Amino acid sequence: MTSELEVDAVVLVGGKGTRLRPLTLSAPKPMLPTAGTPYLSHLFSRIRAAGIRHVVLGTSYRAEVFEEYFGDGSAHGLELEYVVEDEPLDTGGAIRNVYDKLRAEHVIIFNGDILSGADLREQLRTHVDSGADVTLHLQRVPDPSRFGSVPTDENGRVQAFLEKAPNPPTDQINAGCYVFRRSVVETIPAGRRVSVERETFPGLLADGAHLHGFVDSSYWLDVGTPEAFVRGSADLVRGIAPTSALVGPTGSSLVLDGASVASSAVLSGGTTVGAKAVIGAGATVDGSVVFDEAVVDAGAIVERSVLGRGARVGADAVLRGVVIGDGASVGAGCELLDGARVWPGVSLADGAIRFSSDA
């Protein structure tokens, strides 16, 4: 950390992760195995690398899971505290809800489902040098029309928060990482839902507060959908997304201890194979996440997919862009294509579902 700034970190992990169901039926989204370790481990590695030690987790859904896994944070070189929302408070309300745990004059706040390569030290330095009340990470994206855009002036001050529009005036979007003065956090109304995008930030602008943009174009991904979750995990394995929490070297695949991979199987595209998982002879697994104890039988093809813990894919089955829940079984010769989701414990008979007629 820069010597002139003491800072706390807050990670908001209260969401139910409904877009990632059925995977999030058994675990909160930030706890899903991502490149072999819970997603939060990667974020914690970035926070620690920036010199921050005190981290507050704002939790709600399956709140106990976080503390059971991470404890007091000492194993990760951090001091972790936990605040549970009794009811959903939205981003602004969740930030206000952790206020009593804050110690430092400034706090950096993360949405718990963003994978980013932005330079946290530089964002904090920008915040201090500009004298801002709030400094927002603004990401440059190729298609800003899918997001709300945030224009800044020549000095980097935020001018407006614009809703999604066909022709936005800037390619800068709100990237979900903010540095607040603690005194500003205190002004957010307590005990109710508050949207930072629709209420807090526009209100601060209207009151003449200094909102600054830290504009960046490094790696950035919202991992809230199955497609993005798979891509994010693969990018971590391949070294495209930054982390120091990877449990092995970067490369085309990551195979965890205790997994069994047949010599004739092909792993590629940043695939992760979990502990005690089995990949059979001649199987192809590309750009996918195979959770612990899952089985891919001989000759199966798995691409851009997630196999839940203990799931099974039968011989010669084809999966492309699908999610298989924990303990589910896809029979031999089945063919599941983009968007299919099989719920935990469900069994599909051999050849039960196909999209093509070449059986």
Side-chain angles (χ1 to χ4, degrees):
M1 175 49 48
T2 50
S3 59
E4 71 273 18
L5 187 65
E6 286 296 315
V7 64
D8 297 318
V10 169
V11 183
L12 304 178
V13 290
K16 291 186 175 179
T18 52
R19 292 181 296 168
L20 273 172
R21 283 181 180 166
L23 300 174
T24 47
L25 294 175
S26 58
K29 177 169 51 178
M31 294 302 294
L32 291 175
T34 312
T37 190
Y39 161 76
L40 266 186
S41 300
H42 300 292
L43 178 55
F44 285 164
S45 79
R46 293 182 60 232
I47 291 171
R48 190 177 60 248
I52 301 168
R53 291 293 177 267
H54 181 227
V55 182
V56 182
L57 262 64
T59 66
S60 178
Y61 173 65
R62 302 293 303 275
E64 71 286 351
V65 174
F66 298 97
E67 190 163 6
E68 286 170 5
Y69 187 91
F70 289 108
D72 64 2
S74 56
H76 296 261
L78 300 171
E79 181 189 350
L80 293 183
E81 293 191 87
Y82 303 84
V83 177
V84 180
E85 293 176 21
D86 296 324
E87 54 190 58
L89 296 171
D90 210 335
T91 304
I95 294 169
R96 180 61 179 83
N97 197 47
V98 305
Y99 174 78
D100 290 345
K101 296 288 188 184
L102 302 180
R103 306 169 184 170
E105 182 185 350
H106 303 275
V107 54
I108 186 166
I109 295 158
F110 301 87
N111 281 342
D113 52 5
I114 301 294
L115 195 56
S116 172
D119 187 333
L120 299 181
R121 287 180 182 269
E122 193 58 36
Q123 182 175 352
L124 292 164
R125 191 173 294 117
T126 297
H127 176 71
V128 172
D129 291 349
S130 66
D133 296 301
V134 181
T135 300
L136 298 88
H137 172 203
L138 303 180
Q139 182 74 17
R140 287 202 161 105
V141 296
D143 180 16
S145 66
R146 298 190 299 116
F147 307 88
S149 59
V150 185
T152 50
D153 67 15
E154 65 275 10
N155 297 315
R157 287 185 73 137
V158 171
Q159 296 178 301
F161 292 87
L162 306 176
E163 298 291 336
K164 294 177 186 177
N167 296 297
T170 176
D171 63 355
Q172 299 170 181
I173 66 162
N174 176 2
C177 177
Y178 322 110
V179 186
F180 274 75
R181 290 183 184 273
R182 186 172 62 168
S183 56
V184 176
V185 174
E186 191 177 15
T187 68
I188 300 173
R192 69 168 175 86
R193 294 184 74 109
V194 181
S195 165
V196 286
E197 296 89 353
R198 294 183 177 85
E199 183 175 345
T200 304
F201 292 152
L204 286 168
L205 270 188
D207 291 342
H210 179 175
L211 273 61
H212 206 80
F214 170 67
V215 182
D216 187 72
S217 54
S218 61
Y219 185 95
W220 184 85
L221 183 67
D222 176 343
V223 295
T225 66
E227 299 81 9
F229 171 73
V230 168
R231 188 161 84 248
S233 180
D235 286 349
L236 286 162
V237 171
R238 294 184 294 166
I240 296 169
T243 180
S244 58
L246 206 63
V247 294
T250 58
S252 60
S253 64
L254 175 65
V255 178
L256 273 60
D257 289 346
S260 173
V261 179
S263 58
S264 57
V266 177
L267 307 179
S268 60
T271 285
T272 298
V273 178
K276 299 182 181 177
V278 177
I279 311 296
T284 299
V285 187
D286 178 42
S288 295
V289 183
V290 179
F291 285 8
D292 294 353
E293 300 174 16
V295 176
V296 178
D297 283 337
I301 297 173
V302 179
E303 298 176 355
R304 298 175 288 104
S305 297
V306 187
L307 308 185
R309 186 183 187 99
R312 186 170 199 118
V313 177
D316 300 316
V318 176
L319 277 61
R320 292 190 171 100
V322 305
V323 177
I324 309 299
D326 294 349
S329 177
V330 177
C334 284
E335 182 186 37
L336 301 179
L337 301 182
D338 291 295
R341 303 184 190 212
V342 179
W343 248 241
V346 170
S347 292
L348 301 178
D350 293 353
I353 296 179
R354 292 190 62 81
F355 282 75
S356 54
S357 59
D358 57 356

